[in-house]
Each structure stands twice: as C-alpha cells, then as structure tokens.
Amino acid sequence: MAEADESVGRMEFLLALRQRGIFDQAVLRAMDQVPREHFVDPHLTEQAYADHALPIACGQTISQPYVVAYMTERLAVRPSHRVLEVGTGSGYQAAVLSRLAREVVSIERYRTLADLARGRLKTLGYDNAEVLVGDGLVGAPARAPFDRIVVTAAAETIPDALTGQLAVGGIMVLPLGPHAGSQMLVKLTRTAEGLDREDLIPVRFVPLLAGRAREL
Ligand code: SAH
C-alpha cells in the first residue's frame, strides 16, 4: 500500500510541475528520477512530493519542487556542463542537477548538512556531484570557471566572486533581495562585455550568509 501511495504522489508531482509551466523534458525527467523522499526528514516523508518547502536540519529548508524545477529550467543545463551550486542544504537540487550536467560542485556552510547531503548523493550513486563545506560567497575558485551557477539562498547584492567564476556565455540564477523582504529570482548571463540581467519571479529563500557556520 505504501508503495502504491507513493507512486500516485509522484505522478501528481510531475503533473503539477507541468501544470505550473515546466515543459523542459530533461528537467521533468530529472525531477522524476530523483527520489525526493530521501532528502527530507523521515517524519516528513509523506509530504516529500507536496509542492512546498520543508524544514531540514540547522534551521534551513529544502526548496519547493516547483522552484527547483523552475530554477533548473532557467539554467538550461547541458550534459557537457560543469555546475556550481551555493547552498547544498538537503542535496536535492544538487541531485537534480547531477542528472543533467557533467559535474556538480555544491558548497554548504553547515558541516552537518554537507555530510548528510554527501551521504545521500553517495547512496543514490550520483557520483558526479561533490559537496564542499565552506563559504559559498567565495565560490570554488580552484574549480572555476563554471558553465552554470545556481545560488539557493537569497543574496542582498550580486556576489562578484561568483559572477567572476562564470564562463563567458555562462548563466547564473539566484534569488536577490533583502533577507526579510521580498526577493526576485534573477538570471544573469555572462557576455564578453559584462552581465545581462533578467528578472524572473518573486521568491522567498533563506538568507545567504557570509562565512562558515559555527555549529552548536
Ligand atoms: N538547495 C537546497 C536548499 C538549500 S536552503 C536543497 O535542495 O535542499 C539554502 C542553504 O544555503 C542552507 O543550507 C544554508 O545553510 C546555505 N547557505 C547560506 N549561506 C551560505 C553560504 N555563504 N555558503 C554556503 N551555503 C550557504
């Protein structure tokens, strides 16, 4: 019974994404492949495929599936791409990206979250996704340039260190705006001359905070 219930949940999940305007087949396939229930706390498994954010450890959140799909679609990830994610959280977005890209490097400021995410990715065999503990505002200069960068915590200003690690022609998607107020999902494209900016949809993310977390 439990299995049947879950599969219904997953079918509705994909249908809901399509109904909300996610049409990219590769993105839908990746969202279908990654078992979201592995990325949520065990007591929230029943809500794993519901279209809302859920709490994870360290006071953070796993993003709403629609927002993950939408950001991934706007990133236009190709199989040759190397992708940087800032804000590993549960590892779910990294897992989805790993199904689309050649390589994913994801940075998390909480060691606890990074260790949990790394374990999940390993269990699922997503060997092309790597989790680093550190300050994502610094990016991963030794691994740059990246074809795509996605930031999954809200920045108050565009982080220059990250745009500097974007390849020419590269795309970065990030939530931009005040930590307490309304934020806008922004798509930046690196051109030979500079950065093109496109404002996408209003969103609500946890804050992007400088430095590694001091854990209690
Ligand atoms: N992408 C995640 C959602 C993460 S929530 C998922 O799929 O589950 C945002 C995460 O960004 C939190 O875990 C938070 O700790 C992390 N974060 C915030 N500021 C950061 C920084 N400067 N460097 C790295 N991670 C950061």
Side-chain angles (χ1 to χ4, degrees):
M1 255 332 267
E3 258 174 48
D5 285 342
E6 191 208 307
S7 70
V8 171
R10 290 183 74 159
M11 273 173 64
E12 287 168 349
F13 173 75
L14 280 189
L15 196 63
L17 293 176
R18 283 204 191 86
Q19 279 169 348
R20 291 198 64 179
I22 306 297
F23 297 123
D24 187 308
Q25 286 305 319
V27 172
L28 289 167
R29 204 178 312 121
M31 297 289 295
D32 189 29
Q33 281 171 358
V34 177
R36 189 168 157 93
E37 69 275 18
H38 283 249
F39 295 85
V40 303
D41 284 357
H43 71 282
L44 294 172
T45 306
E46 277 181 18
Q47 293 181 58
Y49 292 93
D51 197 21
H52 50 72
L54 292 170
I56 57 173
C58 305
Q60 306 302 312
T61 54
I62 173 173
S63 308
Q64 177 191 353
Y66 169 70
V67 173
V68 173
Y70 181 82
M71 289 175 88
T72 307
E73 192 174 69
R74 294 282 84 75
L75 271 181
V77 180
R78 302 287 166 254
S80 62
H81 285 165
R82 298 182 59 247
V83 182
L84 174 70
E85 179 192 25
V86 173
T88 313
S90 68
Y92 179 70
Q93 172 81 74
V96 171
L97 291 168
S98 79
R99 303 302 81 206
L100 297 164
R102 175 154 65 93
E103 186 188 346
V104 179
V105 176
S106 183
I107 311 179
E108 171 56 54
R109 65 191 290 275
Y110 281 97
R111 177 171 297 280
T112 304
L113 291 176
D115 287 348
L116 281 167
R118 196 182 292 117
R120 292 176 179 126
L121 295 167
K122 188 173 171 21
T123 302
L124 292 166
Y126 298 162
D127 297 331
N128 61 335
E130 186 183 347
V131 179
L132 309 176
V133 181
D135 181 1
L137 276 168
V138 178
R143 312 289 293 275
F146 294 96
D147 303 295
R148 299 291 185 261
I149 299 180
V150 62
V151 182
T152 64
E156 293 190 292
T157 56
I158 295 173
D160 292 336
L162 294 182
T163 54
Q165 289 170 36
L166 203 52
V168 173
I171 297 173
M172 172 159 142
V173 171
L174 80 165
L176 203 59
H179 288 166
S182 68
Q183 305 149 3
M184 184 58 78
L185 198 64
V186 172
K187 174 179 164 179
L188 302 173
T189 306
R190 174 108 185 242
T191 65
E193 295 78 37
L195 288 173
D196 280 351
R197 172 177 170 159
E198 184 188 346
D199 288 1
L200 301 172
I201 53 169
V203 283
R204 197 67 200 268
F205 276 83
V206 297
L208 185 70
L209 300 173
R212 274 176 62 169
R214 272 183 57 221
E215 296 189 57
L216 300 174

